[in-house]
Amino acid sequence: MSNPLPHACKTLNDLSVGDEIRRSYSVSDSDVQKFGEISGDFNPAHFNEDYAKETVFKGRIAHGMISLAKFSGIFGMDMPGLGAIWGGQTVKFLTPVKLNAPYTAVAQVREKNEKNVVFACWVEDQEGNRALEGEAVVYPIPQKVKDKMVAEGKLATLLG
C-alpha cells in the first residue's frame, strides 16, 4: 500500500491573507492508543474510564497533541502542501477533546512574510466552541523549486 500524495503545492505567491482550510475529524480509541505508544503518555485521563469519570472532565479525553497534529496534515498535504515545512507553533488548549465526537481543524492565513506564512489555527466543536487555538509559522515550497519541478515534469507525479 502506498501513502497518499499531497493534494496541493502552493508557494507564497499562491496564498493570500484570509485563505482558509477546514478539516473535519474525530479522535477514536485507536488514535489515543497509537498516540500513547508514540508519545509514551499513558495518563489514565486518556486510557482509564473509571479514573477519568472521577476527573473534572467526567470521562476519557484525547491527548491535546492529537488535535494539534491535524495541522501537520493540513500544512503538508493541502495548504500549502508539497514541500511545506512547519517551522513553529504556539498553542493554547482551551477545552478537552472528547473521543468519537466531531471536531474541525481550521487554518487561516493571517499574514505573509518574505519567506513564510503565519496561520491562525484552531479546533472547534460542532457548536463553534474552540478546543485549542494558536499560531503556526509555515515555509511553503520556494517558487523556484516548484518551477523546476514543473519544467522537469515531476510535479504531477508528486501530487494526488
Side-chain angles (χ1 to χ4, degrees):
M1 180 174 131
S2 62
N3 293 325
L5 297 172
H7 306 110
C9 180
K10 297 180 180 184
T11 66
L12 279 169
N13 297 332
D14 298 322
L15 297 167
S16 300
V17 172
D19 287 352
E20 182 179 288
I21 188 164
R22 304 174 72 84
R23 288 290 176 257
S24 298
Y25 73 98
S26 63
V27 180
S28 69
D29 181 66
S30 175
D31 296 331
V32 169
Q33 184 64 41
K34 289 174 191 172
F35 190 82
E37 291 168 7
I38 291 167
S39 68
D41 179 358
F42 291 95
N43 184 317
H46 307 304
F47 291 93
N48 184 312
E49 188 64 44
D50 292 333
Y51 170 85
K53 283 180 186 176
E54 301 299 320
T55 69
V56 66
F57 308 120
K58 305 296 183 212
R60 290 175 56 206
I61 60 172
H63 301 79
M65 296 303 283
I66 293 173
S67 289
L68 184 62
K70 294 299 178 181
F71 294 97
S72 185
I74 287 172
F75 300 142
M77 300 294 278
D78 297 299
M79 192 160 79
L82 178 68
I85 301 296
W86 192 4
Q89 180 74 46
T90 62
V91 65
K92 183 187 247 185
F93 298 102
L94 304 171
T95 61
V97 168
K98 307 226 185 243
L99 274 59
N100 303 311
Y103 290 90
T104 303
V106 183
Q108 184 181 71
V109 176
R110 178 175 285 163
E111 67 183 77
K112 289 173 48 174
N113 299 305
E114 190 175 311
K115 294 187 179 191
N116 63 47
V117 179
V118 178
F119 285 89
C121 304
W122 66 91
V123 166
E124 61 189 27
D125 66 15
Q126 281 189 306
E127 289 77 42
N129 301 309
R130 290 189 179 187
L132 70 80
E133 60 186 15
E135 191 173 87
V137 176
V138 178
Y139 296 87
I141 192 168
Q143 187 69 54
K144 66 182 180 182
V145 175
K146 181 178 178 180
D147 290 346
K148 182 178 181 204
M149 287 191 308
V150 169
E152 293 173 352
K154 293 179 181 177
L155 183 60
T157 62
L158 297 171
L159 296 177

